[in-house]
Amino acid sequence: MDNNLQPAALPAEELRQLYRLVTAVRQLDLAAIAWQRQGIIPGYAPELGQEAAQVGSAFAMDPELDFVFPTYREMGVALTMGVDMTAYMSTHKASWHGGLYDPVQTRLAPIQAVVGGSVLHAVGWAHGQTLSGTRGVALTYFGDGASSQGDVHEAMNFAGVLKAPVIFFVQNNCWAISLPTEAQVAGGTVAARAAGYGIKAITVDGNDAAAVVLATREAAAHARAGHGPVLIEAMTYRRGPHSTSDDPGRYRSLEEERRDAGADPVQLLADRLLAEGIADRGFLDTALQDANANADRVREGVMQLGTRPGSEMFDFVFAEPTEALKAQARAWREESEHV
Amino acid sequence: MQAALNRALAEILAEDPKAVVLGEDVGRLGGVFRITDGLQQRFGADRVFDTPLAESGILGMSVGLAMAGFRPIPEVQFDGFAYPAVNQIITQLARMNYRSRGTLPMPVTLRVPSFGGIRAPEHHGESLEALFAHVPGLKVVSPSSPHEAYHLLKHSVARPDPVIFMEPKSRYWQKGDVALDDAGPLEGAKVVRPGKHVTLVAWGAMVARCLAVAELAAEDGIEVEVLDLRWLKPIDADGLAASVARTRRAVVVHEAPLTSGLGAEVAALITERCFDTLRAPVGRVTGFDVPYPSGDLEDEYIPNIDRILFGIQRVLEYRRG
Ligand SMILES: Cc1ncc(C[n+]2csc(CCOP(=O)(O)OP(=O)(O)O)c2C)c(N)n1
């Protein structure tokens, strides 16, 4: 772990901003689980414990230049990037695969259900920056589980060969559903693999938002300067279930969870802010109130998301629809009497 | 159906020491659908094991295990995650017997929770049957009830060739009797409801829906025969022809997109064998040529009762031009 990344190296205002963000993510995440239990959304992939890794990494990116490739668990990244959270949550409402936000405008690729699915895209996008002489950096998220996919190895090799400006951001949350990292990653860490591809690696405490910001800034500077890809392995812990349909009691005990999870990222930052006099209780309370108000607003938005019109099913298959597909759309309309 | 599959796997593992179950989360968790529940506790982690998260790896590994004399029963967690395994399935699993001139048979049964109907995220509701049925060297089967699930799984695993076993996940929690000692014929199609005006051909979850349609149609005096195709490769052309020879009209119902779907194959087989007796062109009621949609639009996509009734009406009212 790179322990010379001290939080004090960040300006106080940034630390306060980080705290507001991790709190907003925490409250929205907890709310989304409740919504699933209340039947407002059919499913959700919680990220309890991964707030600092997500917020910190996204916080370090330049929204004008860079492009981010999430998985299905990057709500905190989306929130930090300023994505409309109702549009983001629509994917969990089962409105639209990938979410209803605009990836081009937000610089956040559509939500990705295939593990490791977008890691190669990030390399392609990054190499595109090299080809067109632009300065963007791609940031791609994946888990310790996804690091087993062949695509991820191909991506690291391509990026290494091409010196592509891409950051491979591994949230090692210790679990891929029921499989712990030691049964998933031979050699024990994903970061160790980077060396084989000639890629710089950084291991960081993923519970420490400030440390994650610094690590990601360092990686982005490295990539932007043309020195090639960086792999960041943020050590986190997925507290609670993998998804709302998972039962973690089948593969670990609550006691193990408490023992292994490490510091709570939100609490850790709160303690530091107080200890260093960067914020007071009142500030923390206001952050919590704002976070809850935000979650309530998103809830309202999600409740008001109507069912998508069925005709949209046909609208986006092609940029240039075929006659055969148009005929199917017409037949669908007649048969469903949705004229 | 979940219990029937679980029991079948337990019996297979007990009977054949060379049978192994492998996949993501199949061990301690018992699979995300609990199909392998309790098997690791009972048979040990050598027989039922969790793999790293790599579908190509799981299938490639199965090929090697089969070469070493084992009988692998791999699982991919959801249909859409069979795509990363497609390379190993098509370029290796399906043709090792051929490549080795019969010296390396591939007794591998790949279990794939399949099809939609559970409001799941992207890639959790795909219909891959046409893709796999097109590949020489693979057999494809889909059970429609707990009884079929139990017996077809045991039968598939006992075969010396690779079988893609497509489990209709929307039927996992469906209850039903399993006649343990009376499998009935395990090859070919099966008439699950006799009728005389039209044959509905279906498989997997669509069989139950077609039975519901037949019930409704009966109120209007239309006697619908429902044929559970079961084997999607090889397709039981004789069974199809026998049914359509009686009813003289047929409609194929599937969740997969229309174009180049298995409905086209079924229609061609019926036309080849029943051209003279057919009263109408074979109808198709299917999903559309669109990616399997999000939960909100699922009911618009999967053939519903109205659309199937429409399909029946079209072939009943057909007049030669
Ligand atoms: C290719 C593929 N295979 C299987 C799955 C099913 N699945 C979803 S998440 C998951 C575990 C992923 O673990 P990891 O990459 O560590 O990320 P985490 O969920 O822990 O954030 C699995 C097996 C999938 N989404 N994609």
Side-chain angles (χ1 to χ4, degrees):
Chain A
M1 214 128 343
D2 282 308
N3 274 331
N4 52 350
L5 303 167
Q6 289 303 321
L10 286 185
E13 182 43 37
E14 284 193 349
L15 288 168
R16 282 192 291 264
Q17 239 174 305
L18 277 179
Y19 185 76
R20 278 192 293 267
L21 285 165
V22 291
T23 306
V25 173
R26 166 66 54 90
Q27 297 312 113
L28 186 55
D29 187 58
L30 293 174
I33 299 167
W35 305 342
Q36 193 275 335
R37 306 295 183 225
Q38 295 158 11
I40 296 172
I41 55 177
Y44 179 69
E47 60 185 64
L48 192 65
Q50 298 183 222
E51 297 89 349
Q54 298 203 2
V55 169
S57 51
F59 192 78
M61 300 312 283
D62 182 338
E64 302 290 313
L65 289 176
D66 302 333
F67 208 96
V68 175
F69 296 78
T71 73
Y72 43 84
R73 205 192 291 286
E74 265 69 73
M75 186 274 280
V77 172
L79 188 142
T80 305
M81 292 174 72
V83 173
D84 175 82
M85 292 316 282
T86 300
Y88 177 88
M89 284 292 176
S90 66
T91 195
H92 300 298
K93 177 100 190 300
S95 301
W96 199 259
H97 296 319
L100 288 170
Y101 57 91
D102 175 352
V104 176
Q105 187 255 319
T106 59
R107 319 287 285 181
L108 183 69
I111 292 164
Q112 172 68 250
V114 181
V115 147
S118 54
V119 182
L120 274 160
H121 311 168
V123 177
W125 188 90
H127 187 56
Q129 305 305 295
T130 310
L131 294 179
S132 54
T134 32
R135 297 181 52 238
V137 169
L139 173 64
T140 177
Y141 290 88
F142 58 96
D144 41 305
S147 78
S148 296
Q149 289 281 329
D151 273 5
V152 171
H153 293 270
E154 294 181 23
M156 291 201 275
N157 191 47
F158 274 40
V161 167
L162 294 167
K163 282 198 176 297
V166 55
I167 302 171
F168 298 101
F169 194 91
V170 184
Q171 284 172 87
N172 186 339
N173 65 11
C174 295
W175 294 92
I177 310 189
S178 71
L179 209 64
T181 306
E182 65 264 24
Q184 180 76 248
V185 181
T189 77
V190 185
R193 293 176 177 175
Y197 299 109
I199 295 176
K200 176 183 161 79
I202 302 172
T203 304
V204 66
D205 178 357
N207 294 332
D208 182 341
V212 175
V213 174
L214 290 171
T216 315
R217 278 187 181 156
E218 184 185 326
H222 178 92
R224 222 184 289 287
H227 302 316
V230 180
L231 186 146
I232 299 175
E233 185 167 11
M235 307 309 291
T236 66
Y237 194 92
R238 187 246 303 149
R239 295 147 167 87
H242 163 78
S243 74
T244 45
S245 35
D246 178 37
D247 171 12
R250 283 180 163 255
Y251 50 85
R252 71 180 184 216
S253 65
L254 260 180
E255 200 184 307
E256 285 168 320
E257 186 177 313
R258 261 183 233 116
R259 188 192 62 212
D260 298 338
D264 177 301
V266 178
Q267 195 57 50
L268 184 73
L269 192 53
D271 292 346
R272 286 232 180 115
L273 291 181
L274 293 178
E276 291 171 28
I278 293 169
D280 57 17
R281 276 270 157 230
F283 173 86
L284 303 188
D285 291 345
T286 310
L288 183 62
Q289 277 159 20
D290 292 349
N292 284 325
N294 177 61
D296 288 346
R297 269 195 307 278
V298 180
R299 182 182 198 270
E300 248 342 274
V302 168
M303 301 268 282
Q304 272 162 26
L305 276 174
T307 305
R308 302 307 302 173
S311 58
E312 283 192 349
M313 196 163 51
F314 302 93
D315 286 349
F316 304 107
V317 182
F318 293 112
E320 207 167 45
T322 62
E323 290 309 316
L325 190 57
K326 288 185 206 160
Q328 285 185 24
R330 277 195 299 278
W332 166 82
R333 213 164 280 133
E334 279 162 29
E335 289 175 357
S336 341
E337 293 169 325
H338 287 285
V339 196
Chain B
M1 183 177 284
Q2 176 267 348
L5 290 163
N6 182 260
R7 174 163 184 158
L9 285 171
E11 290 177 10
I12 291 162
L13 287 163
E15 284 158 20
D16 182 355
K18 289 292 187 186
V20 288
V21 167
L22 66 157
E24 292 156 18
D25 305 292
V26 298
R28 206 139 154 217
L29 187 68
V32 290
F33 290 110
R34 307 285 182 264
I35 307 302
T36 56
D37 198 7
L39 297 180
Q40 188 177 70
Q41 284 95 310
R42 222 177 120 189
F43 298 98
D46 283 347
R47 307 281 311 282
V48 180
F49 57 94
D50 286 321
T51 64
L53 212 180
E55 290 75 13
S56 184
I58 293 166
L59 270 295
M61 176 95 184
S62 296
V63 170
L65 279 163
M67 284 176 157
F70 287 87
R71 199 170 274 280
I73 312 171
E75 171 184 294
V76 296
Q77 205 155 67
F78 284 91
D79 32 49
F81 309 130
Y83 293 122
V86 156
N87 171 36
Q88 280 295 328
I89 294 171
I90 298 183
T91 67
Q92 309 303 325
L93 177 65
R95 51 176 81 194
M96 195 55 81
N97 189 64
Y98 186 80
R99 189 180 286 148
S100 68
R101 301 175 64 81
T103 59
L104 292 172
M106 288 284 119
V108 175
T109 298
L110 168 61
R111 293 184 34 255
V112 188
S114 293
F115 318 115
I118 62 165
R119 273 174 83 72
E122 191 173 14
H123 297 300
H124 294 66
E126 315 261 309
S127 299
L128 298 168
E129 61 268 41
L131 177 67
F132 289 131
H134 191 62
V135 178
L138 297 179
K139 294 179 180 168
V140 185
V141 67
S142 186
S144 61
S145 68
H147 176 84
E148 299 286 331
Y150 172 82
H151 289 292
L152 286 174
L153 183 57
K154 292 191 85 172
H155 185 65
S156 299
V157 172
R159 309 268 60 75
D161 286 309
V163 177
I164 312 294
F165 193 86
M166 301 179 66
E167 299 167 1
K169 64 173 88 77
S170 67
R171 309 292 292 169
Y172 273 149
W173 312 114
Q174 169 215 5
K175 302 259 185 299
D177 293 334
V178 179
L180 291 174
D181 301 325
D182 181 16
L186 290 167
E187 301 285 344
K190 189 167 170 178
V191 174
V192 288
R193 178 186 171 116
K196 63 181 183 203
H197 295 129
V198 57
T199 299
L200 282 184
V201 183
W203 51 89
M206 285 298 101
V207 172
R209 184 152 296 176
C210 287
L211 285 170
V213 166
E215 204 62 44
L216 283 173
E219 291 172 13
D220 294 330
I222 302 164
E223 294 179 32
V224 174
E225 176 147 313
V226 180
L227 187 74
D228 179 357
L229 200 57
R230 302 198 301 175
W231 288 89
L232 313 178
K233 170 89 167 284
I235 290 183
D236 178 7
D238 291 343
L240 269 179
S243 173
V244 179
R246 286 192 295 275
T247 62
R248 312 180 89 182
R249 292 180 176 85
V251 177
V252 202
V253 180
H254 61 63
E255 289 185 37
L258 176 76
T259 301
S260 300
L262 225 52
E265 183 65 34
V266 170
L269 287 170
I270 294 173
T271 311
E272 280 167 14
R273 293 183 181 234
C274 306
F275 187 70
D276 291 334
T277 41
L278 274 179
R279 291 281 176 80
V282 179
R284 287 184 283 172
V285 180
T286 71
F288 302 104
D289 293 353
V290 309
Y292 190 87
S294 205
D296 261 11
L297 301 182
E298 193 169 65
D299 293 340
E300 310 280 2
Y301 174 88
I302 302 178
N304 57 28
I305 286 179
D306 283 344
R307 281 179 59 213
I308 300 170
L309 284 169
F310 256 111
I312 291 174
Q313 205 181 334
R314 275 197 297 270
V315 301
L316 286 176
E317 290 174 357
Y318 179 80
R319 294 279 172 275
R320 269 167 220 279

